Amino acid sequence: MSDQAGSAGATRHEPEYVLGTGRDELERLGHQHRLWSDAAHEAWLRAGIGAGARVLDAGCGPGYAAFDLAQLVTGSGSVVGVDESAGFVGYLNEQASRRGLGNLRGIAGDAQRLGAALAQGGQAEPFDAVWTRWVLCFVPDPEAVVAGMGACLRAGGRLVVHDYFNYRSMAMAPRTRSWERVVEATMASWRSRGGDPDVMGRVPALCHKHGLRVRHMRVIQRMARWGEPMWHWPDQWWRTFAPKLVAMGFLAQAECDELIGDLDEARRTPGSFLVPPPVYEMIAEKP
Ligand SMILES: C[S@@+](CC[C@H](N)C(=O)[O-])C[C@H]1O[C@@H](n2cnc3c(N)ncnc32)[C@H](O)[C@@H]1O
């Protein structure tokens, strides 16, 4: 298979999502969803998503959350995923068909022009709920995404968001120079593409501005010792992304090597632990 995941049969070019849309990122997203699916399910239930609900997954990626949502809403509900990566959307549609999820479909489109993407995909009905996770931090215009998500909700519908704030607080203990350096390089790389690793600091105000009422917020802070599944989230993240930072010119090869060496050393050092970036949860309602 080529560097790009799936085959959507679409003609539009692959966008410049800073993490890439290749097979390595497709697999990383699957692992990441597995580790964060408990928090996602909690949020969905808190927002009242259940049988019969019509749900939009904005920036759905290859669809790992959407597969779960499609089962949660049962055959009487439906799930639409929108993502700018035609490769990811192709994977979602292929998997939906293989898994017999007739109530799930993906549409390739820009979340910053959600109304246009949904219209092009033939989706006219408003949604009972919109879910978006780790998308607002990557788009140049999060306000357009928030406005679009609000616009496609029915009155009384809920917006459910998991995204980053205070990204810099992710840490390795004991601290290492290489970790501090790669976190800064990561934030710089996202910002260079118009993203914002602290976007959740702005999202509640954007919701307010676009007529949504914030009903709930919390922060989900995890930590992991070697041997615990959560260890592999930051560990795999750096092993996948640090070489990309080198290729993009945000990190020197020597700094990348130092980081990988420190990660290997941390595994062998009793008492080491990793602190992933905190995930902020927000549920807002359309009056
Ligand atoms: C970190 S992944 C998260 C995927 C999925 N939401 C999840 O939680 O597994 C970010 C996703 O945002 C998508 N994305 C980035 N910019 C986008 C845009 N302007 N419109 C639609 N999707 C976008 C990427 O293609 C990628 O699939």
Side-chain angles (χ1 to χ4, degrees):
M1 132 175 248
S2 76
D3 188 42
Q4 302 304 319
S7 58
T11 49
R12 63 197 293 282
H13 74 285
E14 280 294 324
E16 285 195 289
Y17 165 50
V18 69
L19 310 188
T21 54
R23 174 57 71 175
D24 58 344
E25 178 62 4
L26 186 136
E27 284 169 8
R28 192 193 69 79
L29 289 171
H31 178 243
Q32 175 171 266
H33 175 65
R34 202 40 57 219
L35 293 172
W36 284 92
S37 59
D38 57 339
H41 278 81
E42 243 185 86
W44 299 338
L45 297 183
R46 184 173 279 127
I49 298 173
R54 292 186 308 265
V55 182
L56 171 68
D57 184 345
C60 56
Y64 299 111
F67 303 140
D68 290 357
L69 281 165
Q71 288 181 316
L72 187 62
V73 302
T74 76
S76 60
S78 59
V79 178
V80 174
V82 172
D83 198 281
E84 71 173 358
S85 165
F88 283 168
V89 169
Y91 181 86
L92 181 153
N93 282 328
E94 180 196 313
Q95 286 291 316
S97 150
R98 279 197 195 179
R99 297 174 191 214
L101 295 170
N103 62 344
L104 167 63
R105 71 190 180 102
I107 299 171
D110 185 351
Q112 297 163 114
R113 299 176 63 246
L114 209 43
L118 292 170
Q120 210 170 357
Q123 178 69 33
E125 257 185 317
F127 294 98
D128 300 309
V130 177
W131 158 249
T132 190
R133 180 176 61 181
W134 297 314
V135 178
L136 293 166
C137 62
F138 292 114
V139 295
D141 192 353
E143 178 166 359
V145 183
V146 169
M149 293 190 297
C152 70
L153 276 171
R154 68 162 169 80
R158 304 277 173 90
L159 169 63
V160 189
V161 186
H162 275 181
D163 219 313
Y164 293 130
F165 177 66
N166 203 15
Y167 191 85
R168 188 174 276 119
S169 69
M170 75 183 293
M172 173 193 270
R175 289 191 190 278
T176 66
R177 183 186 60 178
S178 67
W179 182 288
E180 314 285 325
R181 173 73 192 98
V182 77
V183 171
E184 290 305 319
T186 297
M187 293 174 66
S189 74
W190 294 10
R191 290 201 165 112
S192 76
R193 306 280 179 105
D196 177 4
D198 282 335
V199 75
M200 278 302 265
R202 296 191 276 147
V203 173
L206 291 177
C207 285
H208 183 74
K209 183 174 172 187
H210 289 276
L212 298 167
R213 293 197 185 127
V214 177
R215 297 290 189 208
H216 156 90
M217 282 199 78
R218 69 166 176 148
V219 58
I220 310 164
Q221 179 66 73
R222 300 269 162 92
M223 66 168 284
R225 298 185 299 149
W226 172 242
E228 294 174 340
M230 186 54 81
W231 178 284
H232 297 280
W233 187 46
D235 186 273
Q236 189 191 14
W237 160 250
W238 290 132
R239 288 172 198 275
T240 311
F241 192 56
K244 293 180 185 173
L245 287 170
V246 173
M248 288 187 284
F250 287 93
L251 196 68
Q253 184 61 54
E255 292 172 318
C256 178
D257 295 344
E258 189 182 332
L259 174 75
I260 304 301
D262 286 341
L263 286 169
D264 290 341
E265 181 62 25
R267 292 178 177 195
R268 296 189 289 266
T269 308
S272 294
F273 61 92
L274 303 182
V275 183
V279 172
Y280 281 72
E281 174 175 296
M282 190 207 72
I283 299 176
E285 188 177 290
K286 181 165 174 171

